[in-house]
Amino acid sequence: MQKLILRLVFCPLLLVVHLASGQAEVQQWTNQSGQTIQAKFVRGDDETVILFMNGRNYAYQLEDLSEKSRKLARELITASAPKASPHAPKPLFPTPAPKGENGQPGYDASEIRIAVNEHNRLRREVGVPDLKWDEDLARDAMEWAIVMAREQELEHSEGNDEGENISWAKGYGRARCIEIALKGWGDKEKVIYLSRGEPAVGEKGFQGVGHYTQMVWRSTTRVGMATVRSKDGSYYTCARYSPAGNYVGERPYPGKNKKR
């Protein structure tokens, strides 16, 4: 099967067996050049369709697809649009401060400060603007951290357009586990990324450094995080980012986006 080469954005989100598998059928998608892929439809709008394949979400421009695939995309987008209902379920977390299964709240002021400062320390090193904390993203992160803690599995979520970093740690307290997540995504992966010559997303040598590049992605402006303790004492941490980073073929910060 030929690789479909289009304008796309890589979203660092992997298949979630417990939550979303089986919700969509695998479809054949074709671009203007006749190249095809097999992928699941996730969501879309007037310009873009997000497809799931090989454990990741990819966003494709509709104009890059064949007429048949554009038609298929529009049909699936229309079919997936929410319908108004007087009996619509309430939001999973309608309050500003969602709680984990063990009753622990979202990040307090000190934890927020630590998370934001660590992100912005790394961002200032490469000359990109600071991130701001976002409660909506923190709520989304909490929802997924609860799922990971309940299932006791470290897996990425599927089917949303936010960037995502995840981490697992055991044998330490909550504060130390948050630090482990931030340092693992940041300083540890930064060393690897620099040693590989700062490759673009999708290039050889990029695998294993996507957490760091999401943290410092130039166009990302907001972050929210959550950490939840599971029954076995492990801590699962999730960070969500908007706009998402890690665009295929690009590098995360200024001066590193030209092909070499």
Side-chain angles (χ1 to χ4, degrees):
M1 179 175 66
Q2 292 178 299
K3 182 179 179 182
L4 182 58
I5 303 173
L6 304 173
R7 287 183 291 165
L8 54 90
V9 52
F10 165 65
C11 305
L13 308 174
L14 302 182
L15 176 63
V16 181
V17 174
H18 306 285
L19 197 68
S21 64
Q23 293 184 354
E25 295 181 1
V26 174
Q27 306 275 1
Q28 179 170 295
W29 302 86
T30 308
N31 70 356
Q32 295 281 10
S33 301
Q35 298 169 312
T36 63
I37 58 170
Q38 301 291 325
K40 289 183 179 182
F41 169 83
V42 176
R43 61 190 298 179
D45 54 31
D46 291 340
E47 298 181 353
T48 306
V49 60
I50 297 176
L51 304 178
F52 183 81
M53 62 178 179
N54 298 328
R56 294 185 175 90
N57 282 341
Y58 293 88
Y60 295 91
Q61 298 295 322
L62 289 179
E63 65 185 29
D64 291 328
L65 298 177
S66 68
E67 182 178 351
K68 182 178 180 180
S69 289
R70 287 199 301 271
K71 180 180 179 181
L72 172 61
R74 292 191 177 102
E75 289 175 350
L76 293 173
I77 290 168
T78 300
S80 65
K83 296 177 175 58
S85 169
H87 306 292
K90 295 181 179 180
L92 181 59
F93 291 113
T95 61
K99 295 185 177 182
E101 289 183 329
N102 62 350
Q104 70 184 30
Y107 279 19
D108 61 25
S110 176
E111 291 170 332
I112 291 173
R113 183 171 59 253
I114 290 170
V116 172
N117 286 349
E118 183 63 15
H119 278 82
N120 289 338
R121 177 183 68 82
L122 295 167
R123 294 175 70 85
R124 290 167 187 169
E125 290 178 353
V126 295
V128 296
D130 286 357
L131 295 183
K132 293 183 178 180
W133 184 263
D134 186 283
E135 285 296 335
D136 289 335
L137 292 174
R139 184 178 298 110
D140 292 344
M142 176 63 80
E143 289 189 27
W144 189 243
I146 287 173
V147 173
M148 291 192 295
R150 182 178 64 238
E151 305 296 339
Q152 296 184 24
E153 291 189 24
L154 184 70
E155 291 187 280
H156 278 286
S157 61
E158 177 192 355
N160 68 74
D161 55 3
E162 298 167 353
E164 180 178 89
N165 284 348
I166 56 175
S167 176
W168 171 90
K170 188 176 182 180
Y172 304 96
R174 174 182 168 90
R176 175 59 176 151
C177 290
I178 293 173
E179 180 184 359
I180 289 172
L182 291 167
K183 293 296 184 181
W185 299 335
D187 284 334
K188 288 187 177 181
E189 288 195 13
K190 179 183 74 174
V191 171
I192 299 171
Y193 184 66
L194 295 177
S195 72
R196 295 176 179 174
E198 301 163 282
V201 178
E203 287 186 359
K204 184 178 180 180
F206 179 78
Q207 188 173 1
V209 296
H211 298 98
Y212 168 69
T213 55
Q214 173 60 88
M215 291 179 80
V216 300
W217 197 264
R218 62 195 181 281
S219 60
T220 298
T221 60
R222 296 174 289 132
V223 63
M225 290 178 60
T227 299
V228 175
R229 186 176 184 271
S230 70
K231 292 180 180 179
D232 71 349
S234 301
Y235 282 91
Y236 291 83
T237 297
C238 177
R240 289 289 181 86
Y241 302 86
S242 183
N246 287 339
Y247 281 75
V248 172
E250 297 184 18
R251 294 179 171 83
Y253 35 79
K256 300 297 180 182
N257 295 314
K258 293 182 178 180
K259 297 286 186 178
R260 293 180 178 177

